[in-house]
Amino acid sequence: PLDWLERPVQYLYSNLSTWALRIRPSKEPVSEVHSLLVSVHTDTVHVGPGGSDNSANVAVALEMMRALAAHPTKIQQPLGGTNARAVTLLLISGEEEGMLGAHGVCTNSHPWMENAKGVLNLEAMGNGGPSQLF
C-alpha cells in the first residue's frame, strides 16, 4: 500500500497489458546479463489524438528493437557508460491512469528488472506547446 494524503492506498491492477522484449547477443545466463531498460507507454488520454502521446515513441522503440535484432553484435560492447550488454523493451499500459503499469512492473519484480543498469523512458507531453525535456 502507498500513502496518499496520509491515507493508505491499495492499487488493484486490471485490464493492463505489459509486453517485455529483450535482445542480448551473448549466451550468458539471463541472470548475469545487465541491460539497458527502455520503457514506453502504449495508452493515451481519451481526448488526445495519441500520435504524440505516445504512439510516436512506441514506433521509435519498436524500430530500435528491430534494428538491434538485425544487428545484435552492436550491443556486445557496454552501453551508455554502464556494463549493460542487452536491451530490454517494456511496452506498458495504464500510464495515463497514474503510471499503474510501470508501478506494477516495478513492484512485482520481474527478473529482467533486477539487472537493469540504466533506464530510458520514451515519453511525450501532450500535442501542443513548446517541446520540453523532463
Side-chain angles (χ1 to χ4, degrees):
L2 300 174
D3 286 336
W4 178 258
L5 300 175
E6 299 180 8
R7 295 172 190 232
V9 175
Q10 185 75 36
Y11 279 124
L12 173 65
Y13 303 103
S14 65
N15 298 321
L16 296 179
S17 298
T18 301
W19 300 276
L21 171 68
R22 175 178 263 189
I23 296 176
R24 62 185 180 98
S26 68
K27 304 275 189 220
E28 297 173 62
V30 171
S31 62
E32 297 177 13
V33 176
H34 296 163
S35 71
L36 174 65
L37 175 63
V38 178
S39 175
V40 60
H41 72 90
T42 58
D43 59 334
T44 189
V45 294
H46 70 280
V47 296
S52 63
D53 187 18
N54 202 31
S55 297
N57 288 318
V58 171
V60 167
L62 291 174
E63 175 58 19
M64 176 192 71
M65 295 305 274
R66 185 210 58 81
L68 289 173
H71 304 284
T73 57
K74 298 286 185 186
I75 57 174
Q76 283 183 333
Q77 300 300 314
L79 298 166
T82 71
N83 59 351
R85 292 187 315 276
V87 176
T88 302
L89 172 63
L90 286 180
L91 296 163
I92 300 171
S93 68
E95 189 273 345
E96 298 294 353
E97 291 81 22
M99 295 186 279
L100 297 179
H103 182 263
V105 169
C106 292
T107 58
N108 292 317
S109 190
H110 189 284
W112 289 356
M113 303 307 106
E114 295 174 9
N115 293 329
K117 297 301 178 189
V119 177
L120 175 62
N121 183 43
L122 301 177
E123 173 60 278
M125 283 181 57
N127 60 7
S131 297
Q132 296 180 357
L133 179 62
F134 63 102

